[in-house]
Amino acid sequence: MMMISSKLKIPLMGRSLVHRPRLMRKLDEGLHLKLTLVSAPAGYGKTTALTHWVKQSQALAAWISLDKLDNDWSQFWSCMLISIQEKIPSFGHSIAFLLEKESAESYEIAMWSLCNEMILLTRELVIILDDFHFIEQPVIHEALRCLLEQLPAHVHLYIASRTDWAIPTARLLAQGEVQHITMQDLRFELDEGIVYFRDTADLSLTNEQVSELCHQTEGWVSGLQLAAIRLRRSANIAESIRQFNGQQKHIADYLLEEVFRHLTAPLREFLLMTSILSRMNASLCQAVTGQMNSQDHLERLEHLKLFIIPLDEHRSWYRYHHMFAEFLQQMAARTNPEQWQQAHVRAANWLEDHAHDEEAVEHYMKGGSTEDAVRLIEKNLSEFIHTQSSVLMNWIAALPASSYKDKPMIEMFYISVLLTGGQWSSALHRAEQAHLRFLALQDKWPETEWNTIMGNIYFFCGILSYLQRDLLRTSTYFERLDQYFQEGDNGIYFHTMGRTRYQGEDKFNDLLTLNHDLHAIEPFLRKWIKAWEEKAYFPFIGYLYITYCKLLYEWDRLEEAELYLTQAMGREDLPSYVQIWVQLVCMSARLQLALGHPDEASKQLLHLKYTIESPDYEWIMCKIEAEQAYLILRQGAYGVALEWAEGCGLAPTDRVSLNRMSEYLVLARVLAVGGRSVEAIGLLETLYRIIDRDNRLRERIRVMIVQCTTLHYSGQTETALVKLGTVLQLAESGGYVRSFADEGTVMAELLSLYLKRQQNGKLSPVAMAYIKRLLHALHSSHADEAWLKGLLTEQEIKVLRLIKDGLLNKEIALKLNITTETVKFHLKNMYRKLGVHTRVQAVQRANQWLKPANSTVK
């Protein structure tokens, strides 16, 4: 549609434009940089300068004129992709997922995918974002920062804004990849002012008069334009020039009022009414003003050079200069607010009739026609959720709650945004209020629709109660959900959520950590898995399976965990829900490792990599590869794990987000065993701060455990033991086992040492039975035997078994048919790998981790 495409057109230039070589050269420099930021207040000619430069340079330019409706993840990136595709039609078809709101949750992967597309471009590309000050969403700013850091050398970003960009660009500045063009660069110098008044304004002024105007306006382009309009009507140019003084705002107010006052009454009314429009054509203007000669007015304004900009070659669509529009809007709202509101409603009617529903909603709301706004929101709700979710949220927040009290899906959307945004208390309050409201409106809907509405409400109330650790309240709501949910009912809100997405859903990938009382949650999980396991289509149960399997695993009840995992992975409704399925497979792989089947664990992760289908494929690969690194680390393949750490794209200095906690924990472990303990300790401190802020006990315990092992690796054993005492006290009441046992031999050493020191009264008391239980889990672990076999060669394990049986070096040599020197060589390597120094210590390790051989060593 023309109204949308006009945003993506390079604005037309006037026929007589002042040539500005100094400014053009500065803009040319941007072709050697990643970012050129053009920032100055309104009226300094940012758009004009960029338009002139693009036409002069003949660069391949994707242009986007932004407005406040673009302050939304999906809408912003949609504009960018479409703008590039207008120049390069083949661009971006493989990254359509970028437009989905879930991609904002992990913008790093989204930007990596976008950069990969840009790398494939065969020619230089300029992307121009005009009026960027309308974009306020932090996630868009962060994504652009991430994009700039990876931007290929043949792509250049130009941003024009009234404000300086609030994005940290220190690294790019240090690399010489950024230039900043300010209002000082945009101001007219005297020579440019002389050319402007002579050639563009067609005024005969002396150099002194031009100098005075440039001085009074400080080279402000719009001030000079306004002065030219005023001087054309002046009978005494010299006197008029002397009247120009004061600040730019005062000059603008004075000159705009002077210009406006001298226009005809119909033209003044036309300007006031049409100032509400971001873009306009004659038909739209006629609908708003009622004036049949609207096209004549538009052409007259262009002829007068009165801050109107044509947006297409046919001069059908126009927009006002933002500064001029703001002046007119303030005057219209001040002089006749009722008429101004009516103009908004008339604009909305035209926009709705011409299928511009987003803009129509804006105007209905500004015109006070909330009923029509709600009607359009409800009509387009599904589309708006995917393309304008942030703007939609702002609309609903601005509407009185009474205006959509009988619109359940609008209410559901609002609650879901509060839920995913972490505002759980507010979301629960809103859901419970909606519950009461909808109960009173039962007769309004047919029974089937009523059941779906109430099922959704109870679903949200139950989830939100769980997130606030109120299991009794959660069960109450789940029981009510069961009364209204029908088998196969796709109206339940969860079933409409992005099933192929991982991003956007992974905030809730460890529901176990949200409840600190593990013993209280077990009967709750068992109850609801039992209640729902027979439902053929109820994918929400996947989260309960994941949580319960993690609990059973933590308690070292591995066979039970395997039973429930098998049951979950046999369901037909879960594989298509990517976030659930990835967690189930990763959980299964860790379980297989703990059961002593590392090959099966590896096979499962590999199969997941080759079969998963999702727009978030690259993001999921990062998760899976971190799990693979953990697997090989547990088997003692340190070199392979270190290779992963070098190429995974993670760094200990990253700004870590909660949803990537497990990956960074793996990185910390690998850094620690690779001799980079200082970096590992720093990373773990960062992880701990994030966890501590969110009060997630299980994650805090896991991070502290890795801190203990890392401190021990770095030689800070005493500090490690003190921290171990703290984490043991935190973990004992919950019965945590595997979080300790999965750290293998280093944790066994620490626990043994802690037990010895505690018996000597040197450390805080922790129940001896609990420590011994942990040591038993460590020493009986199938995974540790697998780890030992991965660490030692087959011949070294034979030697270890024989010294465990009490054989001397000569006897071992005879038994294995090797020389005594070779036995000593194997012992030396074995001591180094096991971290021991004597034969006795090696025998102790063998007793801990080697099962009796099935057959005599040949």
Side-chain angles (χ1 to χ4, degrees):
M1 295 180 212
M2 181 60 216
M3 193 162 186
I4 303 302
S5 64
S6 64
K7 294 158 57 79
L8 312 178
K9 299 291 186 184
I10 300 169
L12 297 178
M13 295 189 300
R15 293 180 178 84
S16 53
L17 203 65
V18 177
H19 184 55
R20 308 189 66 188
R22 287 186 295 271
L23 182 56
M24 294 300 106
R25 281 195 295 272
K26 289 210 74 169
L27 289 168
D28 281 339
E29 291 172 14
L31 293 174
H32 306 289
L33 307 170
K34 289 186 175 183
L35 172 64
T36 297
L37 179 59
V38 185
S39 65
Y44 269 92
K46 301 181 290 293
T47 301
T48 302
L50 285 168
T51 301
H52 187 192
W53 173 77
V54 167
K55 297 291 177 66
Q56 177 181 291
S57 69
Q58 297 183 331
L60 182 66
W63 182 289
I64 306 105
S65 296
L66 298 163
D67 58 43
K68 64 180 181 180
L69 286 178
D70 300 318
N71 187 34
D72 177 274
W73 175 271
S74 301
Q75 178 68 11
F76 178 85
W77 294 107
S78 176
C79 284
M80 182 176 285
L81 286 187
I82 294 171
S83 180
I84 296 173
Q85 286 166 355
E86 285 203 349
K87 305 296 178 182
I88 308 167
S90 62
F91 182 84
H93 297 294
S94 66
I95 54 170
F97 69 88
L98 174 63
L99 309 185
E100 298 176 15
K101 59 185 175 63
E102 292 87 352
S103 295
E105 297 293 335
S106 299
Y107 57 81
E108 301 100 328
I109 299 295
M111 293 303 99
W112 181 81
S113 300
L114 178 57
C115 278
N116 279 348
E117 280 283 314
M118 290 177 169
I119 287 169
L120 299 176
L121 297 176
T122 57
R123 61 174 296 186
E124 205 159 43
L125 174 67
V126 170
I127 301 171
I128 299 176
L129 303 177
D130 195 18
D131 293 324
F132 187 76
H133 49 270
F134 285 114
I135 306 303
E136 298 174 343
Q137 275 208 16
V139 68
I140 299 178
H141 286 210
E142 281 298 306
L144 279 172
R145 176 195 58 78
C146 182
L147 175 66
L148 280 166
E149 290 181 356
Q150 308 172 66
L151 203 65
H154 56 275
V155 180
H156 316 283
L157 186 62
Y158 285 69
I159 291 179
S161 175
R162 291 189 189 179
T163 58
D164 285 341
W165 197 15
I167 296 180
T169 53
R171 187 184 304 179
L172 292 173
L173 279 168
Q175 295 169 348
E177 290 286 1
V178 178
Q179 73 161 332
H180 193 177
I181 294 176
T182 65
M183 64 180 182
Q184 283 77 19
D185 301 302
L186 293 164
R187 284 172 175 160
F188 268 32
E189 300 291 342
L190 176 59
D191 59 335
E192 295 169 327
I194 290 170
V195 173
Y196 169 73
F197 281 106
R198 184 189 68 210
D199 297 346
T200 303
D202 197 22
L203 285 167
S204 298
L205 303 181
T206 66
N207 287 358
E208 290 74 16
Q209 288 172 327
V210 175
S211 177
E212 179 64 17
L213 287 169
C214 287
H215 174 70
Q216 290 290 356
T217 60
E218 297 181 343
W220 180 42
V221 178
S222 289
L224 295 174
Q225 290 176 301
L226 284 164
I229 296 169
R230 174 74 176 87
L231 291 175
R232 287 195 197 98
R233 296 193 180 92
S234 175
N236 189 335
I237 287 179
E239 180 59 27
S240 296
I241 290 173
R242 276 194 291 273
Q243 293 175 4
F244 299 152
N245 56 64
Q247 298 299 313
Q248 287 177 7
K249 184 180 185 305
H250 298 143
I251 294 173
D253 290 347
Y254 166 71
L255 291 172
L256 284 169
E257 287 174 13
E258 279 289 295
V259 169
F260 187 76
R261 184 164 56 86
H262 285 89
L263 297 173
T264 64
L267 194 53
R268 287 201 303 270
E269 184 181 352
F270 179 86
L271 284 168
L272 290 174
M273 292 300 98
T274 57
S275 67
I276 65 171
L277 304 171
S278 59
R279 290 168 184 80
M280 68 198 92
N281 64 8
S283 175
L284 176 53
C285 291
Q286 181 179 317
V288 171
T289 66
Q291 298 186 24
M292 304 300 292
N293 58 340
S294 292
Q295 184 65 37
D296 294 337
H297 283 320
L298 292 169
E299 291 174 5
R300 173 68 176 157
L301 291 170
E302 187 180 3
H303 177 73
L304 291 172
K305 298 177 182 174
L306 202 55
F307 297 100
I308 189 167
I309 302 167
L311 298 176
D312 63 89
E313 295 82 356
H314 305 294
R315 282 171 160 73
S316 299
W317 286 85
Y318 295 83
R319 75 169 174 85
Y320 293 129
H321 190 289
H322 296 309
M323 180 192 67
F324 189 43
E326 288 166 9
F327 164 80
L328 293 170
Q329 288 165 12
Q330 290 168 8
M331 180 173 284
R334 187 172 64 246
T335 56
N336 197 335
E338 185 176 337
Q339 188 180 24
W340 193 60
Q341 278 197 315
Q342 291 171 357
H344 275 296
V345 174
R346 289 194 295 270
N349 289 334
W350 186 95
L351 289 163
E352 183 179 357
D353 288 343
H354 291 78
H356 300 297
D357 286 0
E358 294 167 22
E359 293 87 347
V361 171
E362 282 279 318
H363 285 288
Y364 277 134
M365 293 185 68
K366 288 177 180 177
S369 186
T370 55
E371 185 177 334
D372 285 312
V374 170
R375 175 178 53 78
L376 269 191
I377 288 172
E378 186 179 34
K379 171 189 169 187
N380 296 280
L381 186 63
S382 178
E383 180 184 348
F384 286 166
I385 286 173
H386 291 99
T387 64
Q388 288 279 9
S389 59
S390 300
V391 173
L392 176 59
M393 186 64 177
N394 291 336
W395 285 338
I396 297 172
L399 288 166
S402 59
S403 67
Y404 54 90
K405 66 178 185 296
D406 58 347
K407 309 293 183 187
M409 293 315 292
I410 293 179
E411 189 66 68
M412 301 299 171
F413 168 74
Y414 198 108
I415 294 167
S416 74
V417 172
L418 294 174
L419 166 63
T420 55
Q423 300 179 57
W424 299 337
S425 179
S426 298
L428 180 56
H429 175 74
R430 194 171 186 103
E432 290 181 331
Q433 291 297 307
H435 163 241
L436 296 174
R437 199 163 64 245
F438 294 152
L439 277 176
L441 296 169
Q442 180 173 1
D443 295 336
K444 182 177 174 61
W445 297 285
E447 183 181 358
T448 303
E449 190 175 346
W450 161 253
N451 287 341
T452 298
I453 291 167
M454 298 311 295
N456 274 304
I457 284 294
Y458 291 132
F459 171 77
F460 276 120
C461 288
I463 291 298
L464 290 159
S465 297
Y466 179 91
L467 294 173
Q468 294 187 81
R469 306 187 178 106
D470 190 338
L471 297 179
L472 182 61
R473 197 178 187 184
T474 303
S475 279
T476 300
Y477 282 123
F478 280 174
E479 285 161 6
R480 294 177 184 174
L481 167 63
D482 249 5
Q483 296 172 23
Y484 292 96
F485 173 75
Q486 300 298 316
E487 188 74 31
D489 185 355
N490 288 324
I492 296 297
Y493 198 92
F494 173 81
H495 299 162
T496 69
M497 296 166 72
R499 55 196 295 172
T500 64
R501 301 308 305 255
Y502 193 95
Q503 301 172 130
E505 312 299 326
D506 54 348
K507 289 191 184 87
F508 312 108
N509 64 4
D510 194 349
L511 293 176
L512 185 60
T513 197
L514 296 170
N515 278 275
H516 293 178
D517 188 346
L518 301 190
H519 299 286
I521 198 175
E522 185 191 14
F524 168 86
L525 292 168
R526 257 203 331 265
K527 171 184 176 178
W528 288 107
I529 289 174
K530 182 69 176 174
W532 291 334
E533 64 185 357
E534 297 301 323
K535 293 183 184 294
Y537 186 79
F538 195 73
F540 177 69
I541 198 175
Y543 285 112
L544 302 186
Y545 274 118
I546 292 166
T547 305
Y548 193 39
C549 290
K550 285 183 177 181
L551 177 61
L552 293 171
Y553 180 84
E554 185 62 70
W555 283 347
D556 206 28
R557 290 159 57 178
L558 303 183
E559 287 75 16
E560 288 177 77
E562 187 174 29
L563 179 67
Y564 276 94
L565 267 174
T566 302
Q567 187 176 324
M569 295 175 78
R571 291 181 63 94
E572 294 182 0
D573 55 346
L574 298 185
S576 61
Y577 282 81
V578 170
Q579 205 268 342
I580 293 174
W581 193 250
V582 169
Q583 286 194 76
L584 284 171
V585 175
C586 290
M587 178 73 249
S588 179
R590 289 213 175 191
L591 178 63
Q592 292 302 319
L593 179 63
L595 289 169
H597 309 139
D599 290 342
E600 177 61 25
S602 179
K603 180 181 175 182
Q604 289 183 1
L605 291 175
L606 195 62
H607 184 260
L608 180 63
K609 285 181 75 171
Y610 288 127
T611 57
I612 203 74
E613 292 184 11
S614 168
D616 304 323
Y617 180 82
E618 297 297 338
W619 173 258
I620 296 168
M621 287 307 103
C622 293
K623 296 276 185 186
I624 297 172
E625 286 166 8
E627 284 297 314
Q628 289 177 312
Y630 173 80
L631 174 64
I632 58 180
L633 182 68
R634 286 288 310 278
Q635 295 178 84
Y638 300 142
V640 180
L642 286 167
E643 286 177 11
W644 166 82
E646 290 298 323
C648 67
L650 306 179
T653 54
D654 289 345
R655 288 181 293 179
V656 183
S657 58
L658 188 62
N659 57 4
R660 304 196 73 176
M661 183 68 60
S662 61
E663 293 164 73
Y664 280 98
L665 264 180
V666 175
L667 178 64
R669 291 184 179 100
V670 175
L671 292 174
V673 300
R676 296 165 62 181
S677 295
V678 173
E679 292 172 277
I681 290 169
L683 172 57
L684 289 164
E685 287 172 355
T686 300
L687 298 180
Y688 186 84
R689 283 195 298 271
I690 295 170
I691 290 301
D692 196 46
R693 185 177 65 230
D694 278 26
N695 193 26
R696 292 174 174 244
L697 180 61
R698 181 167 177 260
E699 295 291 353
R700 184 187 304 164
I701 288 169
R702 293 169 68 195
V703 170
M704 290 180 71
I705 287 170
V706 182
Q707 284 179 318
C708 294
T709 59
T710 302
L711 288 166
H712 185 50
Y713 277 125
S714 69
Q716 302 177 61
T717 301
E718 296 303 319
T719 306
L721 290 172
V722 172
K723 188 173 286 291
L724 181 60
T726 303
V727 73
L728 284 168
Q729 289 174 334
L730 283 174
E732 183 180 358
S733 62
Y736 286 82
V737 175
R738 292 307 314 182
S739 290
F740 293 90
D742 285 348
E743 298 305 314
T745 57
V746 64
M747 179 53 65
E749 290 174 9
L750 282 170
L751 286 169
S752 299
L753 191 55
Y754 190 93
L755 190 61
K756 182 179 179 181
R757 296 285 182 87
Q758 182 179 271
Q759 289 168 342
N760 295 334
K762 294 181 180 180
L763 287 170
S764 302
V766 176
M768 190 176 296
Y770 180 50
I771 298 176
K772 287 185 175 180
R773 181 185 173 196
L774 296 178
L775 284 168
H776 175 76
L778 276 156
H779 296 164
S780 63
S781 171
H782 297 283
D784 284 318
E785 183 173 359
W787 173 86
L788 195 62
K789 289 179 178 178
L791 183 64
L792 303 181
T793 66
E794 183 180 347
Q795 190 77 326
E796 287 166 353
I797 289 175
K798 290 179 181 178
V799 171
L800 184 59
R801 287 190 184 279
L802 293 172
I803 63 170
K804 175 177 174 287
D805 293 339
L807 274 66
L808 299 175
N809 287 359
K810 287 183 180 179
E811 294 170 312
I812 293 172
L814 184 63
K815 196 83 172 173
L816 297 178
N817 196 26
I818 57 177
T819 66
T820 306
E821 290 302 314
T822 302
V823 172
K824 291 178 181 178
F825 173 78
H826 286 315
L827 287 172
K828 182 180 178 182
N829 284 339
M830 195 165 52
Y831 290 171
R832 175 179 55 80
K833 292 178 182 179
L834 294 176
V836 300
H837 303 287
T838 66
R839 197 182 191 92
V840 173
Q841 291 173 336
V843 170
Q844 289 173 343
R845 286 292 173 85
N847 286 331
Q848 289 174 353
W849 284 289
L850 276 181
K851 289 184 174 183
N854 292 328
S855 59
T856 305
V857 177
K858 299 291 184 185

